[in-house]
Amino acid sequence: MRGLQRLQIETLADNAAMLRSAERNGFVREGVLRSSAWVLGEFSDEVLLGLLVQDWKPAFGTS
């Protein structure tokens, strides 16, 4: 996509399935946003993941 430089995901730190899926698809953990999400009456940590265009490897490479 023209002009696309970065994709970013924020998910709850205890969302193991999402973290595994994102990392399998090339996203890199960039940090933890401590106590940044209000969930079910308490604060929870969020994990920040990023994928830069130069790091992206499409599943179906071009020949």
Side-chain angles (χ1 to χ4, degrees):
M1 177 174 262
R2 186 177 184 161
L4 182 66
Q5 176 60 28
R6 170 187 174 81
L7 295 175
Q8 180 172 306
I9 297 172
E10 293 174 23
T11 189
L12 295 176
D14 64 356
N15 191 346
M18 179 61 186
L19 292 168
R20 276 192 310 274
S21 178
E23 289 173 335
R24 260 194 317 254
N25 286 288
F27 283 82
V28 174
R29 290 186 197 212
E30 296 182 337
V32 175
L33 304 171
R34 299 182 304 149
S35 295
S36 63
W38 183 255
V39 180
L40 300 174
E42 63 183 24
F43 285 102
S44 296
D45 293 349
E46 290 182 283
V47 177
L48 177 67
L49 301 107
L51 176 63
L52 301 178
V53 69
Q54 64 263 27
D55 297 334
W56 184 65
K57 296 177 181 72
F60 304 101
T62 56
S63 302

